[in-house]
Amino acid sequence: MERIEAIKTIVEQLDDELIICNLGFPSRELYSIKDSPRHFYMLGSMGMASSIGLGLALTQKRKVIVFEGDGSLLMNLGSLVTIYSQSPKNFILIILDNGCYATTGSQCTYALQVDLSKLAKGIGFKKVFKFEKPHEINMRPILEKDGPIIVHVKVEPGNADVPVIDMNPEEIISRFMKIISSDK
Amino acid sequence: MDSSKAIYKALKDNNINFIVSVPCINLARVLEMIDQDKEIKHVPVTREEEGFGIAAGAYMAGEDTAILMQNSGLGNSINVIASLYKLYKIPILMIISHRGTRGEFMKAQIPMGEATPLLLEALKIPYHVPSTPEEAYNDIKSAWKLAKAKKYPTAILLEVSFW
C-alpha cells in the first residue's frame, strides 16, 4: 500500500476532526486528496507533528488526528512519553510507517528494526491498532473510543506525484485558528 | 519582591495560562508555584523543542503560552523557532535561566552561556536582561506585549546574579 492510499482511506472515514499533518509529501498528498480549514499543513520543523497535536488536544474539545511519519516520530520519541503521561482523550496519532525518510530520498529509518506499535505498548499505551493493508483500515470503532490512541499503518516507501501546497504559512494557520475558535 | 515570585506574578498578571517547561535549578521555585496554580495548564516536557511544538498547538486553540527552560534548551530549539514560530508567526514568551554568566560556578555552562545572546540575535528574537525582580516583572509585561503584537517569540534572560 502506498501512503497516499492510506491517507485517502482514513480521510474518507473522518468527519469534522482537526488534522495536523506532517511536513513534506504527507501534507502535499493530504492537500491533493482533500483540502479543509480543519487541516494544518506543516511546512517545516520535522518531528513536531505529534507535539503540536498534543498541545491542540489539551486545549480544546474536538478530536485531534495527527498524520505522523516514522522518521519524524523517531526524531522526537520523547513526545510519545509526554502524550502517554498527559493522556488526552481526544487524541489519535496515526503513524504512517514506510520505514524510510521518503521526502529526502527514501533513506532507511530504524523503524525497519524497531516495531513502533510494540514501542508504544511498552510505554503504556492501551489502545494501539496496527494495519498492514489499506482496505483493512477501519476508523469508525477507533473514533468511538477514548484516546490517546495509536494507529500504526505500514505503507510502502515512495511518494505520490502531487504538487506543492500553494498556500502561504499565514493562510494555513489563520484559517485553521478561525475554524477552531468558531466552534469552541 | 522575591525573584521567583516576581516571575510567577508577571506570568499571572499577563494571563499566560499554558506553560511548558524543562527544569532548571534556578527556576525550581517558579515551577512549584505554577504547578500549584489550577488556572495554569503546566506541561513538563522531555526536551525543549517538544515544548515549543506543544505550545504552538495550544496557541492555535487560543491559549497564551510561555516556555520555561535553561539556556541549553535554546540550543535544542533553534529549528522549531525558525521553521514553525517564525514561519507561521506564532508568539510565545521564553523565560530562560541563563547559566554560564557572571557568578557561574560550573565551567561546563560557560560555552552555551556565551552563545546564548548571539543565538537570540541570530534568530532576531528581542530579549531583556532584568537585574532586579521589579525589572523582571516589567520586562515580562513588555516582552509579552511585543510577542503578541508582532506574533513572534520574545525572551527574558535571567542571569546567575538575578537569583
Side-chain angles (χ1 to χ4, degrees):
Chain A
M1 142 170 64
E2 284 180 5
R3 184 183 49 223
I4 193 165
E5 289 177 63
I7 295 174
K8 190 164 185 283
T9 308
I10 293 166
V11 168
E12 281 169 354
Q13 298 177 43
L14 297 180
D15 188 13
D16 64 347
E17 294 82 1
L18 300 172
I19 297 179
I20 302 291
C21 191
N22 195 26
L23 79 163
F25 275 97
S27 270
R28 290 165 62 171
E29 289 171 1
L30 174 62
Y31 184 69
S32 76
I33 293 162
K34 184 195 173 191
D35 180 35
S36 161
R38 294 182 175 85
H39 296 175
F40 180 76
Y41 305 109
M42 290 173 66
L43 301 168
S45 63
M46 183 167 167
M48 290 296 106
S50 61
S51 300
I52 297 170
L54 173 61
L56 194 58
L58 291 173
T59 47
Q60 54 79 54
K61 291 198 175 104
R62 203 156 19 162
K63 214 149 245 188
V64 175
I65 312 270
V66 175
F67 284 116
E68 177 66 292
D70 53 309
S72 173
L73 183 65
L74 288 168
M75 195 174 270
N76 180 19
L77 261 188
S79 177
L80 279 185
V81 176
T82 309
I83 291 163
Y84 173 74
S85 303
Q86 291 288 327
S87 202
K89 285 188 176 158
N90 54 341
F91 185 82
I92 300 175
L93 182 70
I94 298 173
I95 307 167
L96 300 163
D97 176 3
N98 56 9
C100 73
Y101 299 100
T103 299
T104 56
S106 292
Q107 300 85 354
C108 292
T109 74
Y110 288 129
L112 295 175
Q113 277 85 39
V114 175
D115 185 328
L116 296 173
S117 298
K118 283 187 188 161
L119 184 78
K121 283 179 190 162
I123 288 169
F125 285 95
K126 301 280 182 291
K127 291 157 194 166
V128 180
F129 299 84
K130 189 170 184 180
F131 298 106
E132 306 273 356
K133 297 191 174 80
H135 64 266
E136 289 174 356
I137 302 173
N138 183 4
M139 290 299 291
R140 282 292 148 206
I142 294 172
L143 289 164
E144 283 163 15
K145 289 180 176 36
D146 278 345
I149 296 172
I150 307 283
V151 182
H152 183 193
V153 185
K154 290 294 284 181
V155 293
E156 299 293 324
N159 305 308
D161 183 18
V162 287
V164 293
I165 295 171
D166 56 0
M167 288 176 75
N168 69 45
E170 284 177 67
E171 276 177 78
I172 295 171
I173 195 169
S174 67
R175 70 172 192 168
F176 187 64
M177 289 177 68
K178 209 168 156 189
I179 201 102
I180 295 170
S181 65
S182 68
D183 304 349
K184 219 176 180 180
Chain B
M1 201 169 8
D2 167 87
S3 49
S4 297
K5 267 191 194 152
I7 306 296
Y8 170 70
K9 191 167 169 6
L11 292 167
K12 282 296 279 184
D13 291 352
N14 289 286
N15 298 317
I16 288 171
N17 52 5
F18 192 96
I19 295 175
V20 294
S21 74
V22 177
C24 168
I25 185 72
N26 292 337
L27 292 169
R29 286 183 45 238
V30 183
L31 292 170
E32 266 174 42
M33 289 181 228
I34 289 165
D35 262 339
Q36 283 160 16
D37 189 325
K38 296 274 180 286
E39 288 171 356
I40 295 175
K41 175 73 180 165
H42 176 210
V43 183
V45 296
T46 64
R47 190 176 165 93
E48 297 79 1
E49 187 187 30
E50 181 201 2
F52 275 100
I54 294 169
Y59 164 73
M60 291 179 204
E63 304 297 300
D64 286 339
T65 66
I67 184 163
L68 269 60
M69 63 181 179
Q70 199 172 94
N71 61 317
S72 49
L74 178 66
N76 291 340
S77 307
I78 302 294
N79 186 58
V80 71
I81 292 169
S83 68
L84 185 64
Y85 279 72
K86 288 179 78 164
L87 189 70
Y88 289 92
K89 290 195 144 193
I90 299 174
I92 188 166
L93 179 69
M94 300 158 64
I95 305 279
I96 305 172
S97 167
H98 189 186
R99 296 290 303 267
T101 56
R102 201 152 51 84
E104 176 62 55
F105 63 93
M106 195 121 78
K107 272 198 175 145
Q109 293 284 0
I110 291 171
M112 190 62 201
E114 285 175 353
T116 296
L118 300 170
L119 289 172
L120 290 173
E121 281 154 29
L123 291 164
K124 298 193 176 71
I125 293 177
Y127 65 94
H128 295 265
V129 186
S131 50
T132 65
E134 288 74 20
E135 260 181 52
Y137 182 86
N138 292 327
D139 286 350
I140 286 174
K141 189 177 176 186
S142 46
W144 181 235
K145 203 175 158 192
L146 183 67
K148 293 258 275 190
K150 288 185 71 177
K151 294 188 178 175
Y152 203 79
T154 59
I156 305 290
L157 286 182
L158 302 170
E159 297 195 357
V160 176
S161 56
F162 172 76
W163 309 98

